[in-house]
């Protein structure tokens, strides 16, 4: 009987170590996924800023820090980093399909204060 209790106690300790390991692994995995998500959000904001500046230039907006030139049949669009920094967070983009075309709608982004007032504190 003593031996059975000792074996049962040993199994509980081993089981507890496995659970602790699984929990620690899950926490590390969640942290890594969170860091990847934050990186993707930063990348998305940067690409949106670049797109808004590029499309703005194509439709005739003479933005400062943006130049277009042709070279060997290619069209080169050069955007200064300061112009990109200024454009970060300024636009929201919506893309929709209409028949055989995509429609891109650029809208000025809402200020954080107005977005909170509109939706309330959802934290």
């Amino acid at each position: 009987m003593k031996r059975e209790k000792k074996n049962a106690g040993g199994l509980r300790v081993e089981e507890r170590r496995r659970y602790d390991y699984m929990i620690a692994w899950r926490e590390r995995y969640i942290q890594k996924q969170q860091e990847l998500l934050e990186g993707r959000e930063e990348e998305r904001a940067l690409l949106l800023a670049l797109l808004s500046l590029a499309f703005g230039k194509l439709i005739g907006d003479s933005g400062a820090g943006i130049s277009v030139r042709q070279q060997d049949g290619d069209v080169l669009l050069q955007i200064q980093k300061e112009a990109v920094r200024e454009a970060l967070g300024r636009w929201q983009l919506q893309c929709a399909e209409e028949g055989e075309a995509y429609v891109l709608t650029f809208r000025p982004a809402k200020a954080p204060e107005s977005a909170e007032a509109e939706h309330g504190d959802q934290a």
Side-chain angles (χ1 to χ4, degrees), residues 39-55 79 84 87-88 93 106:
R40 292 291 183 180
E41 288 171 353
E42 289 175 8
E43 179 183 29
R44 183 184 176 282
L46 178 62
L47 289 172
L48 179 57
L50 288 167
L51 274 174
S52 67
L53 291 169
F55 282 125
I79 304 171
V84 174
L88 281 172
L93 174 65
F106 289 91

Side-chain angles (χ1 to χ4, degrees), residues 39-118:
R40 292 291 183 180
E41 288 171 353
E42 289 175 8
E43 179 183 29
R44 183 184 176 282
L46 178 62
L47 289 172
L48 179 57
L50 288 167
L51 274 174
S52 67
L53 291 169
F55 282 125
K57 185 66 174 181
L58 290 174
I59 61 172
D61 181 16
S62 59
I66 304 170
S67 63
V68 178
R69 68 179 193 274
Q70 290 193 352
Q71 178 180 332
D72 301 327
D74 296 335
V75 176
L76 302 174
L77 180 69
Q78 184 176 5
I79 304 171
Q80 297 296 317
K81 290 179 182 179
E82 183 60 32
V84 174
R85 278 190 284 274
E86 290 175 5
L88 281 172
R90 193 182 332 164
W91 298 100
Q92 291 180 338
L93 174 65
Q94 181 179 5
C95 180
E97 281 187 66
E98 287 187 7
E100 293 297 313
Y102 293 103
V103 177
L104 300 175
T105 305
F106 289 91
R107 288 192 177 90
K110 295 180 181 177
E113 306 86 45
S114 64
E116 285 178 13
E118 185 176 301

